[in-house]
Amino acid sequence: MAPSSGSSYPVRYLAVFGVFIALVYVLVFFTGDKSPTPKLGIDLQGGTRVTLTARTPDGSAPSQDSLRQAQQIIETRVNGLGVSGSEVVIDGQNLVITVPGDDSSQARTLGQTARLYIRPVITSQAPTPAGTPEAPAATDPAADPAAAVPGAADPAAADPAAVDPAAPAPQNRPFPAQDPTDPAAPTDSAAPSDQDTGSEPGTAPTEGSADETADAITEAKALRQSTDPAVQQTAMATIDCSAPDPLQGNDDPALPLVACSTDGTAVYVLDASIIDGQQIADASSQFDSQQSRNVVSLSFTTEGGNTWAQFTSANIGKQAAFTLDSKVVSAPVIQGATPAGSATQITGNFTADSARELANTLKYGSLPLSFAASEAETVSATLGLASLQAGLIAGAIGLVFVLLYCLLYYRMLGILTALSLVLSLVAIYGILVLLGRWISFTLDLAGIAGLIIGIGMTADSFVVFFERIKDEIREGRSFRSAVPRGWARARRTILSGNAVSFIAAAVLYVLAVGQVRGFAFTLGLSTLLDIVIVILVTWPLVNLASRTEFWSKPSINGLGAVQEIARARKRAAAQSTRETAAAGSNKEA
């Protein structure tokens, strides 16, 4: 960035910025969903509000401490997805989650209980059609040659020809569940219907509904968590995998469990839990290129890792079921011992999004309560759009006055200011579109305020640069020689000012919550782009302008008054020198 007498350096800077803009918009128009619009927040596009009603095993009212803990965990899950603009508030005995857009599945996913256990599989079978109970036909997982991944291989990855036709179909359904509004889709345990609570949509559960819920949980436990093999066989034959699960997140990990797979294609008898979700240290989603599928990778705490290592070593050829909220997510066959400290995987027919959502849910912990979605409604964006319109009009008026001031005060240099601001807006827009795709960033009113302030700081950088140029001209230099010297002096001031602003934005982002974080995020983003614009656009344009005869004219660049001051100083200095010389001559005479 050091000034150079040659014109090639400014051209190179402009070329770098051109390549940067081209790359951004290639990604905007030719990758992802190819929609050239940023994601908008709740206040700009509206959203969906889902009310989650807390459920306890005994039907009693949840404690406020449990609700606050659940709120914190869900907020952490939201943050794990990026700056998404979601809101989580406590309303009496309910949690209210609001997410941008009209898809309520994201809010339901955030409210999943996510009680994960790893249980040994005792036996499994295909579900019995309703109304035709029959003796279950157990399968022998040890005889299944399908698995091929040491330590945690899913039978679903096998060649279908190698699978025993009598074995149940693998439970490879994407997690979370299908859209609950689809009448053809089975009901998902993560988004139970209003029948779960016994209340009408939009109403708080009554005393009667709480008693009914407690009774349903008690009956389900007596049947599906019995230690009697005969009762287990009856539970396998009578369980309805398509119905709402009263045990959702309420099963006792110390007892056996009869559970359906998440896609309803298999029923399992599971032994007591050997590892629970609290022993998961980390979870991440990734694409397994060898198996050509998305997987969720888990790493355990020291205690959980040692337990898993001992279990896999002693149960090679047997199945271990990963149960989430009393449903079997995956039941891989153990093909080899997993060393302590090594990661393991949950496999299934995951999409990239469903694998990421499951990993995020498991990573940030189990909720202390189970929830039923009792209400979903659309939030209007009318007020936000009106505020946005008023804000944009005010911002446009302010920007016009800034440009008029620059044109009057800096003459044609004001045109370079306007061009730099336009290019800054173009860069910011493309980056916002990409951030919406990559980290689910949503632009709200607070974020727009941060952008406007950041653009104002960009104009401040231009003023600092131009005033340094005028200082150099006052000292008697030409416009051409004043530009590189003025840039060398202004650059340090510009970088220092932006560094302070960026630190303030970063601290605000870390400490703030809600929409204030969106303001801090866009302020920090626009601060970084200010540096890029000033270095790669404004400075090269002014440098090139100073080398042309047209822009060097005082009537064009608006520097005539400053040059006149420089000439007056020069004349005064020359007059002072002559007077001093004359006085010296008289003294000698």
Side-chain angles (χ1 to χ4, degrees), residues 366-559:
S366 302
L367 298 181
L369 299 166
S370 61
F371 291 91
S374 60
E375 181 183 40
E377 62 179 350
T378 301
V379 181
S380 173
T382 304
L383 180 60
L385 290 177
S387 301
L388 173 63
Q389 184 179 12
L392 291 179
I393 292 175
I397 293 174
L399 185 60
V400 167
F401 276 108
V402 169
L403 294 179
L404 288 176
Y405 173 81
C406 290
L407 288 174
L408 292 174
Y409 194 71
Y410 296 113
R411 305 291 176 86
M412 297 302 287
L413 289 179
I415 295 179
L416 300 182
T417 299
L419 179 59
S420 297
L421 289 176
V422 169
L423 291 176
S424 177
L425 290 173
V426 170
I428 287 176
Y429 185 86
I431 291 174
L432 290 178
V433 173
L434 296 179
L435 290 177
R437 296 178 190 173
W438 295 342
I439 65 171
S440 298
F441 173 79
T442 55
L443 184 64
D444 53 18
L445 288 175
I448 291 176
L451 291 177
I452 293 175
I453 293 177
I455 293 174
M457 293 175 57
T458 303
D460 289 342
S461 298
F462 302 156
V463 172
V464 171
F465 182 23
F466 294 159
E467 290 300 319
R468 289 296 189 184
I469 293 175
K470 293 171 69 174
D471 290 342
E472 295 295 329
I473 293 177
R474 288 191 186 96
E475 295 178 2
R477 294 182 177 86
S478 66
F479 179 41
R480 178 167 182 168
S481 63
V483 169
R485 290 178 179 272
W487 169 245
R489 296 174 61 186
R491 182 177 57 200
R492 183 179 297 106
T493 303
I494 293 172
L495 293 177
S496 299
N498 280 296
V500 172
S501 298
F502 183 79
I503 292 173
V507 172
L508 185 62
Y509 180 82
V510 172
L511 298 181
V513 294
Q515 293 186 342
V516 179
R517 299 191 77 194
F519 169 83
F521 186 87
T522 53
L523 178 60
L525 174 64
S526 56
T527 300
L528 293 177
L529 283 177
D530 175 22
I531 298 175
V532 173
I533 292 295
V534 171
I535 293 177
L536 297 183
V537 177
T538 309
W539 143 245
L541 287 178
V542 176
N543 188 283
L544 291 175
S546 70
R547 301 175 187 279
T548 63
E549 182 179 352
F550 175 78
W551 287 90
S552 297
K553 294 178 181 180
S555 60
I556 299 299
N557 56 36
L559 299 175

Side-chain angles (χ1 to χ4, degrees), residues 323-336:
T323 65
L324 187 70
D325 290 348
S326 309
K327 292 262 187 176
V328 177
V329 177
S330 181
V333 175
I334 307 301
Q335 290 294 305

Side-chain angles (χ1 to χ4, degrees), residues 201-222:
T203 62
T206 62
E207 187 67 29
S209 65
D211 291 340
E212 292 174 2
T213 300
D215 292 342
I217 293 175
T218 301
E219 292 176 3
K221 282 187 176 181

